[in-house]
């Protein structure tokens, strides 16, 4: 899967990643029968967890993600957000999810989603976004500070900006994942229909063969009986 880091974020100093607390946000569906959409997300999360500190946590969006991750990483799951797809996806929904994530303490959030490529293809991707506190430290380290009235105003502005950034990313990634899910489900149902048609044709041929064998046997018995009577 692809791992991206926002172009607007300066590269972290060497060795700093070891102390960061990660919050994994896998975006999965509430229903199955959509190919490998959900399993690819779970696999990507499982591959990344060993590469970060042990205090990482998981906020799962979608019931299928919980089912796939709770057996191996159930102790890391702190929140499950389901029924996101009952109504059309909106920015208000993404903002509510963002508020729940921001209520938890973390340094970096890693959002896992399926990026729509075409009607028959999608790409499992991970995008990272930093918390307001970490971003504030980076800006102080790598750039010149803007002038604010006081420290509280500076922190609140940065918190609002990062909250809006996180909500925007969640909103767009849920839409990407939902589109990939629909296309994958369409293809899965098409393959299932094709396989079902082939099975019906095969069973029909077997039934016709059995019926033909039975008819041939009955005709043979009739002919043999008639020959015995004439003899």
């Amino acid at each position: 899967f692809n791992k991206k880091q926002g172009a607007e974020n300066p590269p972290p100093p060497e060795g700093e990643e070891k102390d960061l607390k990660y919050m994994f946000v896998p975006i999965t569906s509430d229903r199955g029968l959509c190919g490998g959409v959900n399993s690819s997300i779970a696999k990507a999360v499982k591959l990344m967890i060993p590469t970060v500190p042990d205090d990482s946590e998981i906020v799962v969006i979608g019931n299928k993600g919980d089912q796939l991750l709770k057996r191996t990483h159930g102790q890391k799951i702190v929140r499950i957000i389901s029924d996101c797809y009952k109504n059309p996806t909106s920015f208000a929904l993404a903002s509510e999810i963002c508020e729940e994530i921001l209520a938890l303490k973390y340094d970096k959030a890693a959002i896992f989603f399926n990026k729509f490529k075409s009607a028959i293809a999608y790409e499992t991707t991970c995008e990272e976004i930093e918390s307001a506190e970490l971003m504030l430290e980076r800006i102080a380290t790598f750039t010149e500070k803007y002038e604010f009235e006081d420290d509280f105003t500076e922190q609140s502005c940065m918190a609002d900006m990062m909250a809006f950034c996180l909500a925007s990313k969640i909103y767009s990634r849920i839409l990407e994942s939902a589109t990939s899910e629909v296309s994958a489900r369409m293809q899965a149902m098409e393959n299932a229909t094709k396989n079902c048609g082939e099975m019906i044709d095969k069973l029909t041929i077997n039934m016709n063969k059995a019926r033909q064998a039975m008819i041939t046997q009955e005709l043979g018995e009739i002919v043999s009986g008639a020959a015995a009577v004439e003899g």
Side-chain angles (χ1 to χ4, degrees):
F1 68 99
N2 287 348
K3 180 179 177 182
K4 299 181 180 179
Q5 186 166 353
E8 69 278 4
N9 297 346
E14 186 176 356
E16 184 178 335
E17 293 283 351
K18 297 179 181 179
D19 299 329
L20 299 182
K21 179 179 180 180
Y22 272 77
M23 180 66 66
F24 296 106
V25 186
I27 301 177
T28 59
S29 66
D30 289 328
R31 300 180 298 163
L33 301 177
C34 50
V37 167
N38 297 312
S39 59
S40 63
I41 293 290
K43 182 179 179 181
V45 174
K46 292 177 181 178
L47 287 175
M48 188 173 177
I49 285 178
T51 65
V52 299
D54 293 335
D55 60 349
S56 60
E57 295 177 334
I58 303 175
V59 175
V60 181
I61 300 178
N63 291 327
K64 288 299 178 180
D66 173 50
Q67 296 175 11
L68 292 169
L69 292 171
K70 67 180 180 181
R71 186 174 64 86
T72 55
H73 300 89
Q75 73 280 3
K76 291 183 176 292
I77 298 177
V78 295
R79 186 75 174 87
I80 303 169
I81 303 172
S82 58
D83 298 333
C84 294
Y85 307 98
K86 282 189 174 181
N87 299 314
T89 304
S90 64
F91 189 77
L93 172 65
S95 299
E96 292 179 6
I97 296 174
C98 174
E99 289 180 0
E100 295 195 22
I101 295 175
L102 291 175
L104 305 169
K105 297 297 182 181
Y106 67 93
D107 295 313
K108 271 191 176 183
I111 303 175
F112 295 83
F113 66 99
N114 289 309
K115 185 176 182 180
F116 179 77
K117 304 292 286 185
S118 68
I120 59 173
Y122 58 87
E123 184 178 18
T124 303
T125 307
C126 171
E127 287 188 352
E128 296 180 1
I129 181 171
E130 297 176 339
S131 64
E133 294 80 6
L134 188 60
M135 180 58 73
L136 194 61
E137 294 177 4
R138 290 199 186 283
I139 290 179
T141 303
F142 291 96
T143 65
E144 188 173 324
K145 284 190 175 182
Y146 292 98
E147 293 184 2
F148 292 88
E149 295 179 1
D150 51 41
D151 292 338
F152 176 76
T153 306
E154 182 180 0
Q155 293 176 1
S156 62
C157 288
M158 182 58 64
D160 291 342
M161 184 184 73
M162 296 309 296
F164 179 79
C165 184
L166 179 60
S168 300
K169 279 187 175 292
I170 290 175
Y171 177 53
S172 62
R173 298 333 177 209
I174 288 179
L175 291 176
E176 287 270 5
S177 295
T179 306
S180 301
E181 176 193 348
V182 171
S183 64
R185 179 172 284 110
M186 179 181 68
Q187 185 161 4
M189 293 300 99
E190 182 180 351
N191 293 336
T193 302
K194 180 180 178 182
N195 293 336
C196 183
E198 292 176 355
M199 183 178 294
I200 290 174
D201 293 340
K202 183 177 180 180
L203 292 176
T204 301
I205 292 175
N206 291 337
M207 182 188 69
N208 290 337
K209 286 182 178 179
R211 184 179 62 178
Q212 187 66 36
M214 185 178 297
I215 293 173
T216 302
Q217 181 180 356
E218 291 178 354
L219 286 175
E221 291 176 354
I222 292 173
V223 172
S224 298
V229 170
E230 290 178 359

